[in-house]
Amino acid sequence: MTARVGLAALAATIAPGSLLAIPADYAGPAIAATLALIRQGTGGLRLVTAPTAGLQADLLIGAGLVAEIETAGISLGEWGSAERFRAAVAAGLTVRDATCPALHAGFQAAEKGVPFLPLRGVLGSDLLKVRPDWRVIDNPLADAPDPILLVPAIRPDVALFHAALADSAGNVWIGLRRELATLAHAARRTLVTVEALHPGNLLDDPLRAPGVLPHLYVDQVAVVQGGAWPLPFPGVEGDEDALARYAEASRDAAAFTHLIGAWLDGRD
């Protein structure tokens, strides 16, 4: 049975140095849990994004909690560059460049319990010069030379995301965001914050059941209304003023620290 815990208790189970998988800004980043990690000072994190990230990654990096990141891109989207990420890269943050298909392939390999998955799209790119762990072999099933890329499985220690609903058994409704199911299948542990509890069994609802992540893939759930704030979430409007203030403050380390201090204190 999935454990239902408070937000601080959920964040406290993420150990320093964990390989932490987080989703893109459009797929339910657990921002409240991220602030809890910052409050607890959980450092040395190795982030891997599915397949990109924005505010969540920038917050953790700006707080000095990230040792390295593997990603296809970090951006605040319409709000501009992720300035704390940019500053950290300039200061020497280890970045493992990837592509969206390569990251999805890595998670899918772990999900399937295989050591790698083949991929073609990266062949011929400069990425191969900086990713010695990606191997190019000759397709063993081809009758003529046919190079193919092998992307190693990515098995996160923890997958962390925000979703709309969970039920008493710990089943979580993720809707259309099937990449969250892949993360949960790939990760050793999955921690989820949700907007609300569903009174029945989500798997008994024929309309919701296709979008349900079963409880056997979920370790802990915390109910956190507005858990993706200030980002928009299905059914919840984003706080554009807060995002604009963040984008501006993140350009300066001192202003970033002041703003995040306010967020940690529950002040906007």
Side-chain angles (χ1 to χ4, degrees):
M1 186 72 70
T2 301
R4 182 141 53 93
V5 299
L7 178 60
L10 179 143
T13 67
I14 301 176
S18 293
L19 180 60
L20 177 63
I22 59 174
D25 276 0
Y26 55 75
I31 301 299
T34 298
L35 293 174
L37 283 173
I38 294 172
R39 188 176 290 112
Q40 293 169 180
T42 305
L45 296 172
R46 296 169 294 134
L47 293 186
V48 57
T49 66
T52 62
L55 178 65
Q56 185 177 18
D58 207 51
L59 284 167
L60 291 169
I61 291 168
L65 302 185
V66 177
E68 66 177 57
I69 183 168
E70 181 174 5
T71 186
I74 305 294
S75 168
L76 299 184
E78 65 183 280
W79 304 105
S81 301
E83 294 295 332
R84 290 299 88 206
F85 168 68
R86 288 185 60 184
V89 171
L93 175 69
T94 298
V95 179
R96 303 178 71 203
D97 285 326
T99 68
C100 296
L103 286 164
H104 285 307
F107 291 126
Q108 289 165 359
E111 174 184 43
K112 298 173 186 297
V114 297
F116 56 80
L117 278 184
L119 196 67
R120 288 196 187 277
V122 181
L123 292 173
S125 79
D126 287 342
L127 270 180
L128 296 180
K129 298 177 182 178
V130 297
R131 292 303 302 257
D133 55 323
W134 293 358
R135 307 292 179 83
V136 178
I137 67 167
D138 205 47
N139 176 5
L141 302 180
D143 295 327
D146 180 29
I148 192 80
L149 176 70
L150 305 183
V151 176
I154 301 172
R155 186 157 176 75
D157 295 317
V158 179
L160 174 66
F161 55 84
H162 185 68
L165 296 170
D167 62 23
S168 60
N171 301 308
V172 172
W173 187 64
I174 57 175
L176 296 175
R177 301 262 63 102
R178 299 309 301 171
E179 68 269 36
L180 299 180
T182 298
L183 281 187
H185 297 162
R188 293 179 171 85
R189 295 191 305 124
T190 298
L191 310 179
V192 185
T193 60
V194 296
E195 287 289 317
L197 288 178
H198 181 71
N201 188 319
L202 285 163
L203 289 170
D204 290 339
D205 183 337
L207 295 179
R208 287 199 173 103
V212 171
L213 175 65
H215 66 86
L216 69 159
Y217 296 110
V218 182
D219 292 84
Q220 292 186 346
V221 168
V223 179
V224 186
Q225 189 173 13
W229 181 92
L231 292 170
F233 187 76
V236 181
E237 289 188 6
D239 188 333
E240 294 193 356
D241 289 340
L243 287 167
R245 288 193 294 275
Y246 177 85
E248 179 62 30
S250 67
R251 298 177 184 277
D252 175 78
F256 168 85
T257 299
H258 178 78
L259 178 63
I260 298 311
W263 285 12
L264 292 175
D265 291 339
R267 298 177 285 114
D268 178 23

